[in-house]
Amino acid sequence: MSRIEVQEDRCKGCLLCTTVCPVNIIVQSERFNVSGYKVAEVPEADMDKCIGCASCAMICPDVAIKVYKTPKKKGDN
Amino acid sequence: MSEMNEKLVFDKPESVIDRATHYCPGCHHGIAHRLVGELLDEMNLAEKTLMTTSIGCSVFLYNYLNVDAVEAPHGRAPAVATGVKRARPDHFVFTYQGDGDLASIGMAEIMHAANRGEKMSVVFVNNTVYGMTGGQMAPTTLIGQKTTTSPAGRCQATQGSPIRMSEIIASLGGVAYAARGSLDCVKNIRAAKKHLRKAFECQINGTGFGFVELLSGCPTNWKMTPIQANERIQTEMIPYFPLGVFKDISEEGGIC
Ligand SMILES: Cc1ncc(C[n+]2csc(CCOP(=O)(O)OP(=O)(O)O)c2C)c(N)n1
Ligand code: SF4
Ligand code: SF4
Ligand code: SF4
Ligand SMILES: [Mg+2]
């Protein structure tokens, strides 16, 4: 299980993260942050598709993305 | 759905100050800062770093990296850093410069600091324009590229060809490492970090001058979206400014 957290007040809506996600789950939301940028998000329904590759975080020019990974338990697959 | 044993595998590096930057959306200065910050952390350099910042959009770098800094006049960062390093040889000294700063007004300073083999590292952000002042033509502007001072596109006959700094720097005797990376995609960002690490190592182990050019996007002055700007780096910049290592004396066995 992996997931990302977008720090919305840092996101500038550049959408570069949306171009690098291998499972294509990052989209622009309808929310504006305090600076007036429409922030990126992973819709709740898609979050479990995240593979924790951190590509989105690597390309984010504003260091707005945190990536979390949960190690697989034995027997999981 | 956070679970108890989940691990944070990607976060802001310690050396990058936790604050919003003044950069435009999609500007690659932020990626360059983060790579430098990650290396300062990973190589345990932050405490003994003296950064020399320059004039350009990255002029406020001292607000974004948590290290001691000296602000140099436009183009003069390599001369200032020479003094800083010679006065404090036990410190890690790097400059961070744009292409207008380094390849135009500061051409003399970079050439001679490199040629003297000053034990410093240079982070060179090439976005093919003077970003801060509104997108004027730089020595690195591509042929045909429209800027505010080349509205019909840069013309080779009257304005010369774009300067390939990494190749020039690599040709100078004092240089230990010279490489060009790019910040347009994840693969290139990873490779760019490896170049920076090598350049930093050259200073730490006393081998000599390290230079890393980073092809970077300036969506605002290119009048493009960030996604289009990244595509431009792939389709126009990389073919003219090839990526790779142009000199690495650690591979060649030292300067003679
Ligand atoms: C002596 C001097 N001349 C000119 C300027 C105006 N000036 C400020 S930044 C700049 C160019 C910056 O371009 P670059 O180094 O490419 O940085 P970027 O903003 O693109 O990152 C110029 C010409 C100045 N500040 N000082
Ligand atoms: S970590 Fe990888 S899979 Fe998850 S959202 Fe980011 S790019 Fe997509
Ligand atoms: S790359 Fe960063 S700043 Fe750009 S849209 Fe994604 S989260 Fe926001
Ligand atoms: S003008 Fe260009 S270089 Fe300056 S902050 Fe904006 S995108 Fe970055
Ligand atoms: Mg520039």
Side-chain angles (χ1 to χ4, degrees), chain B residues 36 52 57 62 104 137 140 156 181 191 201 239:
Chain B
V36 171
T52 305
C57 279
Y62 51 76
S104 188
M137 191 182 81
T140 43
Q156 204 233 317
E201 281 168 0

Side-chain angles (χ1 to χ4, degrees), chain B residues 22-30 56-58 125 127 129-135 217-222:
Chain B
H22 69 292
Y23 299 117
C24 309
C27 173
H28 287 178
H29 275 299
C57 279
S58 58
V125 174
N127 58 16
V129 281
Y130 290 7
M132 185 198 209
T133 45
C218 173
T220 300
N221 287 303
W222 298 356

Side-chain angles (χ1 to χ4, degrees), chain A residues 1-3 5 7 9-10 12-16 18-20 35 37 44 47-48 52-63 65-71 73, chain B residues 1-3 5-13 16-31 34-35 38 183-186 189-190 226-227 230:
Chain A
M1 254 302 296
S2 302
R3 66 184 178 99
E5 214 174 72
Q7 192 181 345
D9 62 330
R10 293 294 159 77
K12 292 178 183 161
C14 72
L15 302 185
L16 293 180
T18 66
T19 65
V20 297
S35 310
Y37 295 120
E44 193 66 45
M47 193 52 100
D48 61 351
C53 67
S55 293
C56 52
M58 286 285 290
I59 207 158
C60 176
D62 290 278
V63 207
I65 300 178
K66 286 183 171 57
V67 185
Y68 296 89
K69 245 183 169 169
T70 305
K73 288 189 222 79
Chain B
M1 265 201 306
S2 61
E3 291 175 38
N5 57 344
E6 79 173 2
K7 282 202 183 80
L8 182 58
V9 293
F10 192 105
D11 196 9
K12 180 192 72 61
V16 172
I17 296 172
D18 191 10
R19 64 151 55 110
T21 67
H22 69 292
Y23 299 117
C24 309
C27 173
H28 287 178
H29 275 299
I31 304 179
R34 196 196 76 236
L35 294 182
E38 286 175 357
L183 303 180
D184 66 292
C185 65
V186 175
I189 292 170
R190 285 188 209 280
I227 293 174
N230 277 22

Side-chain angles (χ1 to χ4, degrees), chain B:
Chain B
M1 265 201 306
S2 61
E3 291 175 38
M4 290 284 284
N5 57 344
E6 79 173 2
K7 282 202 183 80
L8 182 58
V9 293
F10 192 105
D11 196 9
K12 180 192 72 61
E14 281 281 307
S15 293
V16 172
I17 296 172
D18 191 10
R19 64 151 55 110
T21 67
H22 69 292
Y23 299 117
C24 309
C27 173
H28 287 178
H29 275 299
I31 304 179
H33 295 7
R34 196 196 76 236
L35 294 182
V36 171
E38 286 175 357
L39 288 168
L40 294 178
D41 287 1
E42 289 164 23
M43 298 171 81
N44 207 15
L45 292 171
E47 278 300 313
K48 55 168 191 169
T49 294
L50 292 170
M51 163 173 84
T52 305
T53 53
S54 65
I55 308 301
C57 279
S58 58
V59 65
F60 299 129
L61 181 57
Y62 51 76
N63 284 335
Y64 303 139
L65 286 182
N66 198 7
V67 293
D68 290 331
V70 184
E71 183 76 42
H74 202 16
R76 314 304 184 225
V80 172
T82 297
V84 171
K85 182 71 184 188
R86 289 187 180 195
R88 291 282 183 272
D90 54 327
H91 279 59
F92 177 73
V93 175
F94 74 93
T95 72
Y96 182 109
Q97 304 175 256
D99 49 321
D101 187 271
L102 182 142
S104 188
I105 190 170
M107 185 60 124
E109 283 73 14
I110 189 63
M111 292 291 283
H112 291 290
N115 195 51
R116 290 191 305 269
E118 299 297 339
K119 307 277 189 288
M120 61 167 75
S121 316
V122 173
V123 181
F124 170 44
V125 174
N126 176 5
N127 58 16
T128 73
V129 281
Y130 290 7
M132 185 198 209
T133 45
Q136 293 82 0
M137 191 182 81
T140 43
T141 297
L142 294 178
I143 300 298
Q145 183 181 337
K146 290 190 172 75
T147 70
T148 53
T149 49
S150 59
R154 182 177 186 160
C155 163
Q156 204 233 317
T158 54
Q159 292 156 328
S161 300
I163 293 183
R164 295 185 178 101
M165 283 308 301
S166 293
E167 288 85 335
I168 294 174
I169 295 296
S171 74
L172 299 173
V175 174
Y177 184 79
R180 182 184 290 114
S182 171
L183 303 180
D184 66 292
C185 65
V186 175
K187 173 172 153 263
N188 287 343
I189 292 170
R190 285 188 209 280
K193 184 172 172 185
K194 287 195 182 129
H195 294 324
L196 288 167
R197 184 188 297 277
K198 270 268 183 176
F200 290 5
E201 281 168 0
C202 282
Q203 176 179 170
I204 294 160
N205 62 29
T207 333
F209 186 93
F211 182 94
V212 180
E213 177 173 348
L214 300 170
L215 301 183
S216 302
C218 173
T220 300
N221 287 303
W222 298 356
K223 305 201 174 4
M224 290 178 176
T225 66
I227 293 174
Q228 289 167 335
N230 277 22
E231 284 164 5
R232 174 183 185 251
I233 295 178
Q234 280 285 338
T235 56
E236 295 180 34
M237 282 177 78
I238 294 175
Y240 186 85
F241 293 116
L243 305 185
V245 179
F246 298 95
K247 187 171 190 183
D248 183 357
I249 63 159
S250 63
E251 307 279 297
E252 293 162 15
I255 293 179
C256 35

